Amino acid sequence: MMPEGMSREEGIERVKRALRRMPYRQREVYLAVRIDDADYRDIAKRLGITTKQVEREFAAAIRQVGRALRERHPEPWWRWPRWIGDHIRG
């Protein structure tokens, strides 16, 4: 569910950005659960890790996606377009 006032497209872009920031294994676990609908045991077997590690990786991925959806400015301030600074100043 997208935060109030956020377009679907913006939400998708923020999730994509969060996925790019994730470590490889965390991203693979998140995509396997959310996209492939794989269970933890299968993911653990595929990645050569324990199901407990899959749980931890998925929980960390969920937190990261949640933060990306909640953050006010998803890009660092120095990457904001110039007009944003003018808008904030008044």
Side-chain angles (χ1 to χ4, degrees):
M1 185 167 175
M2 299 297 159
E4 188 174 331
M6 182 181 298
S7 71
R8 183 175 190 275
E9 292 77 21
E10 183 181 358
I12 290 170
E13 284 305 311
R14 287 181 180 214
V15 171
K16 285 180 180 179
R17 191 175 305 117
L19 286 168
R20 286 191 301 268
R21 291 177 181 168
M22 286 180 197
Y24 172 78
R25 188 167 72 184
Q26 190 178 76
R27 182 176 50 251
E28 289 300 307
V29 167
Y30 181 83
L31 293 173
V33 172
R34 290 291 196 215
I35 305 299
D36 300 337
D37 200 28
D39 68 20
Y40 289 2
R41 212 174 34 232
D42 291 339
I43 297 167
K45 190 180 208 182
R46 183 181 344 157
L47 296 176
I49 59 178
T50 67
T51 55
K52 193 69 173 168
Q53 287 172 306
V54 171
E55 291 173 7
R56 281 193 292 267
E57 295 288 357
F58 186 61
I62 291 292
R63 283 192 302 274
Q64 195 158 339
V65 168
R67 276 193 304 271
L69 289 173
R70 286 188 309 273
E71 62 190 354
R72 185 167 175 208
H73 298 289
E75 291 294 328
W77 64 268
W78 59 87
R79 292 187 183 161
W80 295 355
R82 263 191 130 68
W83 62 266
I84 289 179
D86 296 338
H87 177 72
I88 291 172
R89 283 188 214 112

